[in-house]
Amino acid sequence: MATNFITTFFFCVLVFGTYGIMCQLVPGTYIFGDSLVDDGNNNYLSLSLAKADFPHNGVDFPTGKATGRFSNGKNAADFLADKVGLPLAPPYLSLVSKSKKLSSTNAVVTGVNFASGGAGILNGTDELFKQSIPLTKQVGYYSLVHDELVKQMGSTGAHAHLSKSIFLIVIGSNDLFGYFNKDSKVSKQYTPQQYVDLMASTLKGLMKQMYGMGARKFVISGVGVIGCCPAQRKHNASSECNDEVNYWSTKYNIGLKALLRELKTESSDMHYSYFETYDVMNSLIQNPQSYGITEIKEACCGLGNLKADIPCTPISTYCSNRKNHLFWDLYHPTETISSLFAGFIYNGSQEVTNPMNVEELIKV
């Protein structure tokens, strides 16, 4: 009886809300990354300085309350889940008991979010924020979810489920922020080129581990124009972008695209969709009016210069019109921008989402 249910569940998921009952081409979304897609994992990290479980975060979320998302509302991972007709993936740590075992096992079928604010590809990035879940540990947590799926569905069923699921990876910004931080230790160990090469090679190794545990369809976001976030602009008297950080973001993205091509060559049944975050974000900064944006420099929520001296906290002020701002706080985009990005990821042209968009990826 249970086996039949799981088999049926794989082919046709019961989705509540506006979607009704629909056969799922994407049975699950498994999300890895940093604060751009964290939906509450850091709420469970007692030492973390990178938390968003307080107002004014979540002011535009359906509940109107903060959830741990670094946003006024939903993030890009949430919007992508909406587009493929799946419930929002729960944060992994919300499913874990005090004994560190998965205590809510049914939830893992439609997806899990492993992302953590402050996380990087490389271990040690979290030193900036005292505590986060680096990508290596996120992949380790995924291995436990993989084992649980095998336990529930059997090896064949789990493989079939995971081969059609989406594996979203949004990470790399914190590694670069860490390298160019004035107190950086890694900048004394590596040249910038060596460092971005190390980021790419480390990510490749972790993706191969995920492939070995059933992942076949990857959605990868390049690093954006991070030198133009309010936290970087505020250091310049003219509020201009940090060109050095932006330059090395582009160099990392070149390496990222090369590693994806290598992985595809090595494993023909691995498919991916790469989002040109940098190009889309740069276009938005250069031509904000074409996207309905009027404020590209100042954060919506915060205090001080560009509202970036003090982060978005309960004592901060926030703008009344969040839809015309690029940034919600000193680092993160508004819900409007996250929705825009998710739209490009889902059905954008090859100029911004290549070699295919997610709508095409799920049909492969």
Side-chain angles (χ1 to χ4, degrees), residues 47-338:
L47 301 178
S48 178
L49 298 179
K51 290 190 178 184
D53 57 342
F54 47 76
H56 305 290
N57 297 299
V59 65
D60 297 310
F61 197 72
T63 61
K65 296 180 180 179
T67 60
R69 290 168 172 82
F70 295 77
S71 172
N72 56 302
K74 292 182 177 180
N75 62 35
D78 298 324
F79 284 114
L80 188 59
D82 289 342
K83 288 183 179 298
V84 299
L86 285 173
L88 306 187
Y92 173 79
L93 293 182
S94 71
L95 308 175
V96 177
S97 66
K98 290 182 180 179
S99 62
K100 305 299 181 184
K101 293 184 178 180
L102 277 168
S103 58
S104 181
T105 55
N106 290 335
V108 304
V109 177
T110 54
V112 180
N113 188 315
F114 303 95
S116 171
I121 298 167
L122 304 174
N123 293 338
T125 304
D126 59 332
E127 289 178 4
L128 282 171
F129 305 98
K130 301 302 180 188
Q131 188 181 27
S132 67
I133 310 167
L135 188 59
T136 49
K137 186 174 282 189
Q138 292 181 34
V139 174
Y141 286 157
Y142 166 66
S143 71
L144 302 177
V145 169
H146 169 267
D147 292 348
E148 177 59 34
L149 289 170
V150 170
K151 183 178 173 183
Q152 287 189 40
M153 300 178 169
S155 180
T156 302
H159 179 78
H161 172 83
L162 292 169
S163 69
K164 291 189 175 294
S165 293
I166 293 294
F167 288 76
L168 174 66
I169 303 176
V170 181
I171 202 163
S173 299
N174 290 319
D175 297 276
L176 291 166
F177 283 138
Y179 185 89
F180 290 102
N181 181 46
K182 62 182 176 63
D183 299 319
S184 171
K185 297 176 183 176
V186 289
S187 63
K188 295 177 176 64
Q189 297 175 265
Y190 306 98
T191 66
Q193 187 62 59
Q194 289 173 333
Y195 188 72
V196 296
D197 288 346
L198 178 62
M199 287 170 61
S201 62
T202 303
L203 179 59
K204 182 181 179 182
L206 291 169
M207 288 180 66
K208 289 177 78 169
Q209 288 183 38
M210 293 162 69
Y211 176 88
M213 293 182 284
R216 293 295 181 270
K217 296 184 179 183
F218 293 93
V219 179
I220 315 293
S221 173
V223 172
V225 192
I226 60 174
C228 293
C229 68
Q232 293 288 313
R233 285 185 185 268
K234 75 168 187 172
H235 296 299
N236 296 327
S238 58
S239 299
E240 293 305 307
C241 302
N242 185 327
D243 292 334
E244 184 179 30
V245 174
N246 283 342
Y247 175 78
W248 288 105
S249 296
T250 63
K251 296 294 281 186
Y252 166 69
N253 288 338
I254 290 170
L256 174 56
K257 286 184 275 191
L259 83 83
L260 291 171
R261 291 191 293 269
E262 290 169 7
L263 284 171
K264 178 63 179 173
T265 300
E266 295 167 11
S267 305
S268 60
D269 62 340
M270 174 269 197
H271 306 282
Y272 71 90
S273 176
Y274 172 80
F275 178 49
E276 297 275 8
T277 318
Y278 192 99
D279 292 350
V280 173
M281 191 173 170
N282 192 49
S283 173
L284 202 157
I285 291 169
Q286 299 302 320
N287 303 288
Q289 63 282 353
S290 63
Y291 297 90
I293 301 300
T294 58
E295 180 54 68
I296 61 170
K297 295 182 179 181
E298 186 175 85
C300 171
C301 184
L303 287 172
N305 183 21
L306 300 181
K307 286 194 176 180
D309 290 333
I310 294 177
C312 185
T313 66
I315 66 167
S316 302
T317 59
Y318 66 95
C319 59
S320 57
N321 185 358
R322 273 82 69 189
K323 293 185 178 180
N324 66 4
H325 275 61
L326 170 55
F327 290 98
W328 163 243
D329 62 15
L330 71 172
Y331 288 112
H332 307 98
T334 56
E335 180 185 64
T336 295
I337 301 304
S338 292

